[in-house]
Amino acid sequence: MQAITDLKPLLQTPKNIVITTHPKPDGDAMGSSLGLYHYLLLKGHNVHVITPTDYPFFLHWLPGNGEVLVYTEKQAEAEKLIADADFIFCLDFNGLRRINGMGDVIGASLAQKVMIDHHLEPEGFDNFRLWNAAACATAELVYDFMVQMGDKHLLNKQIASCLYCGIMTDSGSFRFNSVTSHVHKVVADLIEAGADNSRIHELVYDTYSENRTRFLGYCLKDKLQVFPEFRTALIALTQQDLAKYEVTSGDTEGIVNYALSINNIKFAVIIIDRAEIVKLSLRSKGEFPANEVAKKYFEGGGHHNAAGGQSNLSLEATVEKFISILPEYKELLNV
Ligand code: 5GP
Ligand code: MN
């Protein structure tokens, strides 16, 4: 493993660079990837962003969106770029297993791998690493990377807008306890460099379809289950629920936070039947470790207060399994 600063001399001449991130990329995955993309383009490299899957409409305004290659849509082209790459930057994830089929292709590539990430327990496939589990977003680390490369002066409106989006979305609009004074200083720099903060917030959070808003109402009124003795709230969605409201990629994001926003609730989960697999998104307040539950019972992981996982059982059986494990955590949930 080499220090990230050892990259500086290696990036002095133009290189073929691929940037990739996790499946179903969120605001931080796309913001950090495209922020790094614009920076490396400025440095004269040949750069491509490849995502394992598509991503939500509310991120399509990001500068550079039109240049992103979605692996599942352009597999041959993506595989050629990966094969020809000198460097592959892996952002906002830290295990090749997490990126489905694309993981094997990246693993087989002779390119040097650079990991920039803030999730726990890196797998160790990388040659260079900028990793900090205390960082509130990978976008914060991309900013730190530019500083460490001596290129803070290259921060421009495009880079700043992308990184702002990443930090804003991963920090719950600057309210999580991962938000340090450093984060606010970074964000101040981003705004100074041209990030239009209130416009970016509007583009991400105030662009829902009417269906999405009614779907949220349905989830909260008809689908929310509360278990007061375990200070836990749960929303389970069937394939029919998704079809009825024409729910598209990203429409379910953030709904779990409404369940967590109830007074005295410490732990919230949304469990969604995605046909091929049942996905869980877990959120917690304070000390309760959402990622431990994800890891122990649902083949997942993530952060202390925001984690995810999956299940091969039916939706009903997954919900039953989730409810059945709550007594194990009763004490921890009631501290
Ligand atoms: P979300 O609930 O928004 O999909 O994910 C919350 C957090 O958990 C993210 O940091 C994400 O990287 C992590 N996460 C989500 N799903 C999985 C999973 O299946 N495995 C692992 N290891 N982490 C996940
Ligand atoms: Mn992130």
Side-chain angles (χ1 to χ4, degrees):
M1 181 73 57
Q2 291 176 260
I4 196 84
T5 42
D6 291 345
L7 270 177
K8 194 173 173 180
L10 303 176
L11 294 177
Q12 290 306 319
T13 51
K15 295 290 188 300
N16 290 330
I17 296 178
V18 164
I19 300 169
T20 191
T21 186
H22 58 77
K24 292 287 164 200
D26 56 13
D28 186 34
M30 292 316 299
S32 59
S33 295
L34 284 168
L36 181 67
Y37 168 79
H38 290 295
Y39 163 55
L40 293 173
L41 275 186
L42 273 183
K43 297 288 282 178
H45 300 292
N46 175 32
V47 197
H48 290 88
V49 175
I50 304 174
T51 59
T53 68
D54 62 355
Y55 48 94
F57 165 78
F58 60 78
L59 298 173
H60 288 189
W61 62 270
L62 282 163
N65 173 66
E67 309 303 316
V68 174
L69 252 93
V70 179
Y71 179 74
T72 44
E73 292 165 9
K74 297 205 170 148
Q75 195 168 332
E77 200 180 325
E79 285 182 1
K80 173 141 185 25
L81 289 168
I82 292 168
D84 292 345
D86 302 305
F87 290 93
I88 299 178
F89 281 74
C90 297
L91 268 58
D92 205 38
F93 72 99
N94 62 29
L96 293 180
R97 274 167 300 169
R98 173 107 167 84
I99 57 169
N100 311 339
M102 227 180 107
D104 295 335
V105 181
I106 288 181
S109 157
L110 298 176
Q112 297 278 301
K113 320 289 185 321
V114 185
M115 187 192 90
I116 303 181
D117 179 58
H118 67 140
H119 294 93
L120 297 170
E121 298 174 4
E123 187 183 272
F125 65 86
D126 44 331
N127 307 99
F128 299 88
R129 182 178 292 188
L130 177 54
W131 178 77
N132 180 359
C136 89
T138 298
E140 177 189 352
L141 297 175
V142 171
Y143 172 96
D144 293 342
F145 178 63
M146 286 184 68
V147 172
Q148 289 180 27
M149 294 290 118
D151 286 329
K152 190 175 151 183
H153 61 284
L154 292 181
L155 204 60
N156 61 18
K157 185 179 169 96
Q158 287 178 315
I159 300 171
S161 303
C162 294
L163 299 185
Y164 187 91
C165 172
I167 295 175
M168 178 189 79
T169 52
D170 254 27
S171 67
S173 301
F174 317 106
R175 76 180 192 278
F176 295 159
N177 63 12
S178 55
V179 177
T180 57
S181 61
H182 175 67
V183 173
H184 280 286
K185 284 172 190 154
V186 169
V187 166
D189 277 351
L190 299 180
I191 292 174
E192 228 157 76
D196 188 344
N197 50 319
S198 76
R199 175 83 183 129
I200 292 172
H201 195 278
E202 189 181 316
L203 286 166
V204 173
Y205 293 114
D206 298 337
T207 51
Y208 294 137
S209 64
E210 181 183 336
N211 260 346
R212 161 54 165 84
T213 302
R214 294 194 188 282
F215 175 66
L216 172 63
Y218 170 67
C219 290
L220 301 183
K221 182 171 172 291
D222 292 349
K223 299 256 110 182
L224 178 71
Q225 300 178 58
V226 179
F227 305 90
E229 75 270 41
F230 301 118
R231 301 174 86 173
T232 294
L234 178 161
I235 294 170
L237 298 171
T238 64
Q239 288 180 54
Q240 290 84 339
D241 292 327
L242 303 182
K244 188 171 161 204
Y245 286 89
E246 296 168 24
V247 168
T248 55
S249 190
D251 280 347
T252 51
E253 213 171 297
I255 291 179
V256 65
N257 296 319
Y258 288 91
L260 190 67
S261 70
I262 301 169
N263 191 26
N264 282 326
I265 291 297
K266 285 277 187 68
F267 190 31
V269 61
I270 187 165
I271 308 178
I272 305 175
D273 189 351
R274 296 251 182 232
E276 64 283 4
I277 202 129
V278 173
K279 271 296 292 179
L280 295 92
S281 273
L282 307 153
R283 298 291 185 271
S284 66
K285 285 178 194 152
E287 294 300 305
F288 190 75
N291 55 354
E292 278 183 26
V293 179
K295 192 173 167 192
K296 187 166 174 192
Y297 292 104
F298 300 106
E299 304 163 44
H303 311 282
H304 187 82
N305 294 130
Q310 59 190 46
S311 151
N312 291 314
L313 305 171
S314 68
L315 179 70
E316 259 181 21
T318 307
V319 170
E320 264 175 40
K321 176 175 171 180
F322 180 83
I323 294 171
S324 76
I325 64 173
L326 291 176
E328 176 186 337
Y329 294 103
K330 187 169 182 176
E331 268 179 36
L332 212 50
L333 286 162
N334 280 289
V335 286

